Amino acid sequence: MATKRNEPDVQSSADDKSSSADYDSKDSTVEETPSTESLTFTLSLPTQVRETPEHEAAVAIDDVAVNAHHVDPASMATTSISFVPSSVATMPAEAAHEPAVIPDLPPVDHATTRRGRQRTEVRPAPESATMLTAERLINQSKKSRRPAPEGFLQELVYAVTFHLVNLGDSYYVRERKALETRITKTFTGGTRFVPVLTRKGGVGKTTITALLGMALADTREDRIIAIDANPDRGTLAERIDKQTRATVRDVVMRSESLHTFSEFQTVVSRDETRLDVLASDTDPHVSEAFDEGDYNVVADMAERFYSVAITDCGTGIVHSVMRATLQRADSIVIVSGGSVDEARLASETLTWLESNGHADLVKNAVVALNTATQGTNLVKLEEIEAHFKSRVREIVRVPYDPSLATGSVVHYRDLNKLTKNAALELAAVVMDGLPEVRTN
């Protein structure tokens, strides 16, 4: 906006001053009165008009008065604009009803940061302790070094090269580990019963029972028990260091009070391999009273605490305990000596079992050929093995060992390497014939 300037009237101000001076000189005696006149100054400035630039005028809005209480319907209008694309993609009618398939993201193997590890999915239900497996907890991305090899040459190369060259285990070590893998077979559905029997005494039946139980107990992680069910005076408990005087008779008498495994341990003896042995009665007159019902009571107690129960059936196959033993048997071990009559009696044992309704046990049976008996060097062991292989599932040779020949306590750690390998092979063969899952 332009501002107007007014120039002062200089001539009018000079006349006023001269008039005032004349008045004062003429009438100096007159009383002075206050003046009510006002002085006005007018300043006139040149008018300056600002021109609006074109770019401001293009976006300026005209000042138009608007009535807030009145709307003109004529000024309100809508405008429709149609777009026509040059090309339109159409979807087939069949595909229009099919839902779109969005592939899932690839799973994340492991968290790479600490924050990522803290975001692990939490299950809605509480987890059991078996869920804490090594595969779940150990970081598989970190490559672990192979375990140290076993074997003289392999261990020497591994030590000389400062653990840089690992040739792996020797052949014999790999064979032993393969046997251990077969022995550690897992079972579900109850205890597996394996009776050891023969028709002739003195062929090493009790020794074979002890070797089989020790090999199983030393390799497996669960509990193994050997029950001396000999109606005559059994000697199975004398093959280990006895820790109690309790026998199968005490288990029958105290069956109602033996509720926990710690209570049951008071009636068994345990050797260095963790094999538990339940002794038979030492008095022959008392042992005659150990019948089928008593064995079932002992077997029921063993089923509560053990995974595998080996039964030393004693000499003969027609005594009172044999029926209950064979009814519970999952596999059997027939012990034979290396002489002609011992092999023949062992074969007749298989014939008796087949004729009394146990043909399935015969097909799944294992023959332990004890080569420590007299006359072994005079017979053809290969012919004996060929005979039994035509009737049973497998046959295992048990070599002579001075530690076994004495007939006293068997120390599993002191056995010869061949004897220990034979015991492991016997245990592996027996485990191969046991069912993993029991349905009945």
Side-chain angles (χ1 to χ4, degrees):
M1 297 178 62
T3 305
K4 183 178 181 181
R5 291 184 179 179
N6 297 325
E7 296 180 357
D9 193 355
V10 180
Q11 183 67 29
S12 176
S13 299
D15 294 342
D16 292 339
K17 289 181 180 180
S18 62
S19 299
S20 177
D22 294 342
Y23 178 77
D24 293 337
S25 61
K26 291 179 180 180
D27 196 3
S28 59
T29 60
V30 182
E31 184 179 357
E32 297 181 359
T33 58
S35 176
T36 59
E37 297 179 358
S38 61
L39 182 63
T40 303
F41 294 91
T42 303
L43 181 62
S44 298
L45 299 175
T47 304
Q48 296 181 358
V49 181
R50 180 179 180 274
E51 296 181 359
T52 305
E54 294 181 358
H55 65 277
E56 293 184 7
V59 297
I61 301 176
D62 297 337
D63 296 334
V64 180
V66 178
N67 187 359
H69 301 284
H70 174 72
V71 178
D72 185 8
S75 61
M76 301 178 60
T78 58
T79 303
S80 300
I81 302 175
S82 60
F83 294 92
V84 181
S86 59
S87 61
V88 179
T90 59
M91 180 180 296
E94 298 179 356
H97 300 285
E98 297 180 359
V101 179
I102 303 176
D104 298 334
L105 294 175
V108 180
D109 295 337
H110 60 277
T112 57
T113 61
R114 181 178 179 182
R115 179 176 299 177
R117 291 194 298 267
Q118 293 175 351
R119 295 178 180 175
T120 303
E121 180 182 357
V122 179
R123 299 179 183 271
E127 295 183 353
S128 61
T130 57
M131 299 294 291
L132 298 176
T133 60
E135 291 79 6
R136 177 183 178 184
L137 301 182
I138 298 177
N139 190 354
Q140 300 295 335
S141 62
K142 297 181 179 179
K143 296 182 180 180
S144 58
R145 181 175 296 180
R146 293 175 58 187
E150 295 185 29
F152 176 75
L153 179 61
Q154 289 75 9
E155 293 178 0
L156 179 61
V157 174
Y158 189 69
V160 170
T161 59
F162 299 98
H163 301 177
L164 296 179
V165 178
N166 190 340
L167 300 178
D169 297 329
S170 64
Y171 171 79
Y172 296 102
V173 174
R174 293 196 302 268
E175 289 293 323
R176 176 178 56 81
K177 290 185 177 181
L179 290 177
E180 293 176 352
T181 302
R182 294 164 57 189
I183 296 174
T184 56
K185 178 180 179 180
T186 58
F187 303 108
T188 58
T191 305
R192 302 298 188 269
F193 286 88
V194 181
V196 181
L197 59 148
T198 186
R199 291 187 61 183
K200 179 177 174 57
V203 296
K205 173 185 56 61
T206 300
T207 302
I208 297 299
T209 302
L211 284 179
L212 176 60
M214 291 177 181
L216 291 175
D218 187 64
T219 307
R220 296 179 61 89
E221 298 294 335
D222 48 8
R223 301 175 184 142
I224 310 296
I225 187 173
I227 304 173
D228 193 346
N230 195 335
D232 301 326
R233 185 184 183 281
T235 59
L236 179 62
E238 298 177 2
R239 294 296 186 270
I240 66 172
D241 295 323
K242 295 182 64 174
Q243 302 165 2
T244 178
R245 295 181 178 272
T247 63
V248 290
R249 178 59 48 194
D250 296 288
V251 176
V252 175
M253 299 298 294
R254 298 170 51 188
S255 60
E256 298 296 333
S257 60
L258 299 176
H259 301 291
T260 63
F261 179 69
S262 59
E263 295 174 347
F264 189 80
Q265 279 186 309
T266 59
V267 296
V268 297
S269 300
R270 172 169 291 191
D271 77 330
E272 57 184 1
T273 63
R274 298 184 306 106
L275 173 65
D276 290 342
V277 176
L278 180 59
S280 64
D281 291 322
T282 57
D283 189 351
H285 299 285
V286 177
S287 62
E288 287 295 336
F290 187 74
D291 55 9
E292 178 180 351
D294 296 335
Y295 176 80
N296 286 327
V297 173
V298 175
D300 290 339
M301 295 296 297
E303 276 190 321
R304 297 173 56 182
F305 308 115
Y306 296 91
S307 299
V308 180
I310 305 171
T311 305
D312 185 357
C313 297
T315 304
I317 56 177
V318 293
H319 52 77
S320 59
V321 187
M322 183 58 64
R323 178 182 177 182
T325 303
L326 295 178
Q327 287 179 348
R328 291 177 177 265
D330 296 285
S331 180
I332 60 175
V333 176
I334 306 296
V335 181
S336 173
S339 62
V340 176
D341 60 338
E342 292 170 345
R344 185 181 293 115
L345 289 175
S347 182
E348 291 177 357
T349 303
L350 297 176
T351 304
W352 183 89
L353 292 173
E354 291 174 341
S355 60
N356 285 272
H358 300 288
D360 294 337
L361 288 178
V362 173
K363 294 180 180 179
N364 193 33
V366 178
V367 173
L369 182 57
N370 186 10
T371 61
T373 58
Q374 296 180 357
T376 302
N377 298 330
L378 302 177
V379 299
K380 300 178 181 179
L381 296 180
E382 294 79 7
E383 294 296 330
I384 297 178
E385 292 179 347
H387 168 77
F388 284 115
K389 285 182 178 179
S390 65
R391 307 193 63 181
V392 300
R393 180 170 55 88
E394 194 60 67
I395 182 171
V396 178
R397 284 192 189 186
V398 180
Y400 171 81
D401 194 302
S403 300
L404 303 178
T406 59
S408 60
V409 177
V410 177
H411 296 284
Y412 187 76
R413 302 289 187 269
D414 298 336
L415 295 176
N416 291 335
K417 185 176 181 179
L418 293 178
T419 306
K420 190 177 298 184
N421 291 338
L424 290 174
E425 184 179 359
L426 176 61
V429 170
V430 171
M431 291 295 104
D432 291 340
L434 299 181
E436 294 184 4
V437 181
R438 177 183 291 169
T439 56
N440 52 1

